Amino acid sequence: MDQVAQPERPAAFLEGVRVLGALLLGAGMIAAASSDMPAPLPWAYGLMPLGVLWLTRRVGLLLGLLAATATLGAVYAAGVQEPSRLFFVAVLAGSGLSLAACARRGVAASTALAVAAAPVLLVAAGYLVFGGLDELTGLLTARIDEIRRLETEHRLSQTLGLSSAEFDRALERTGRLWATLLPSLFALKWILVLSVNCWLASVLFQDREGFPPFAEFSTWRVHPVGAWVAAVALALMATRLSPAVEAGYNLAFPLAIAYLLQGFAVLRFFAIAYEVRGVVQVAILILTALIPILMLPLVLMVGFLDAWFDFRRRVVQGITGPWARRGGDEG
């Protein structure tokens, strides 16, 4: 018995280290996303969907619903008694239940993320409309004033090789841009929170009838409806009317990030398909970091055009179709 039990101890220890490491990494990402970003609740509540999912996996959906309700009562007893904050807690718990239901049905991880994130984004939009946007704007103004104070005391502009007037103009333009994009930045924060929950669920529960794993990054793509949303965003910006232009920017900014990720996914797929060395891939990433003004627009364009040309499908057809037969004939 001792000989059988001894090998299990290192395995159990390594499993515990893996689980703890994943939880710490996920909590750190949620904390980083919540830094300098006001929210109805502290960042720790961002892990509530994962906790509700864990409870539901243990006791079932019906008892999981009762457990989520009991959790809401415990939060109320702990001092969170404002109706808006309690409603936000309930929505996060509902996201956990949605993830559990999607896991039971075998729904794809991307679809499960959309189902879980939709109610949270609606509540976040309500938060912005009913005072949250003013809070975000006030925080942004305070940060800009703090940078101006540091410039007055330590002359940050000289370190950057700028004059004080140029530094002030750049700071003012940056402040206007961030003020315009505040709604989309706040939405992206909650998308990141739910994405971390989905990732943790796929890592922690995948081997035990758990959450469906995310597809490999090289196969990730934006839903085709994203192209129509981009068209709407461009149309809104073309009106040159202040509310419409701001709405267009807030639609276009998250889409640009999504298509940028799709561009990197296409490049990663090409690297795998053509067996590009890892050193070359790392060198390309370093080059992108050194000259982002040149590289990032190119990657974004690749991701955007992939919505129509589907470069990865063409590569697969080439490998399994005429190219493969030609190679076999030559051999």
Side-chain angles (χ1 to χ4, degrees):
M1 291 294 292
D2 293 338
Q3 294 179 353
V4 176
Q6 284 176 359
E8 293 180 355
R9 292 177 183 174
F13 175 76
L14 292 176
E15 177 68 13
V17 171
R18 183 183 73 89
V19 170
L20 180 61
L23 286 173
L24 290 176
L25 178 60
M29 294 175 66
I30 291 177
S34 301
S35 62
D36 292 339
M37 185 71 72
L41 296 166
W43 68 266
Y45 283 92
L47 289 172
M48 177 171 284
L50 181 69
V52 173
L53 173 60
W54 178 82
L55 280 173
T56 304
R57 284 172 45 84
R58 291 282 181 145
V59 300
L61 281 174
L62 180 59
L63 293 178
L65 176 60
L66 296 177
T69 305
T71 302
L72 183 62
V75 170
Y76 179 82
V80 179
Q81 300 180 355
E82 297 180 14
S84 58
R85 302 181 73 187
L86 285 173
F87 185 66
F88 213 96
V89 171
V91 171
L92 289 176
S95 295
L97 293 171
S98 299
L99 293 179
C102 290
R104 283 177 173 269
R105 294 290 184 180
V107 177
S110 57
T111 304
L113 173 60
V115 171
V120 177
L121 292 178
L122 288 175
V123 174
Y127 167 77
L128 292 178
V129 171
F130 295 105
L133 188 59
D134 294 337
E135 189 177 1
L136 287 172
T137 304
L139 180 63
L140 177 63
T141 303
R143 290 288 180 269
I144 292 176
D145 291 341
E146 183 178 354
I147 294 174
R148 283 201 174 98
R149 181 181 60 80
L150 292 174
E151 161 66 13
T152 303
E153 296 177 355
H154 303 287
R155 294 297 178 185
L156 299 176
S157 57
Q158 295 179 358
T159 306
L160 300 174
L162 301 173
S163 65
S164 297
E166 290 173 337
F167 182 84
D168 189 68
R169 284 197 298 269
L171 184 62
E172 185 177 355
R173 291 173 183 171
T174 304
R176 286 202 300 267
L177 177 62
W178 280 87
T180 301
L181 296 177
L182 278 177
S184 59
L185 288 171
F186 190 71
L188 286 172
K189 174 235 173 140
W190 287 107
I191 291 175
L192 177 60
V193 168
L194 268 298
S195 299
V196 169
N197 278 270
C198 289
W199 170 72
L200 285 173
S202 66
V203 169
L204 300 180
F205 305 141
Q206 181 177 343
D207 297 332
R208 297 188 299 274
E209 301 176 357
F211 193 78
F214 279 104
E216 292 184 6
F217 176 68
S218 60
T219 64
W220 188 86
R221 64 186 297 112
V222 180
H223 193 278
V225 76
W228 293 102
V229 177
V232 171
L234 292 175
L236 289 173
M237 287 187 285
T239 62
R240 297 185 179 276
L241 300 175
S242 180
V245 170
E246 292 179 2
Y249 278 127
N250 281 281
L251 284 176
F253 178 64
L255 275 176
I257 295 177
Y259 281 119
L260 183 66
L261 292 176
Q262 182 162 327
F264 279 114
V266 171
L267 296 179
R268 173 63 177 166
F269 183 89
F270 281 6
I272 295 173
Y274 294 109
E275 299 181 353
V276 179
R277 293 178 178 271
V279 176
V280 178
Q281 298 181 44
V282 173
I284 293 175
L285 289 177
I286 294 175
L287 183 65
T288 302
L290 292 176
I291 48 174
I293 296 178
L294 175 63
M295 297 297 293
L296 290 182
L298 290 176
V299 176
L300 174 62
M301 187 60 63
V302 169
F304 188 70
L305 292 177
D306 185 59
W308 286 273
F309 292 102
D310 200 348
F311 300 118
R312 287 164 285 193
R313 180 177 59 82
R314 294 171 183 271
V315 169
V316 171
Q317 286 180 343
I319 293 174
T320 60
W323 293 358
R325 288 194 296 271
R326 187 183 306 169
D329 295 339
E330 292 176 357

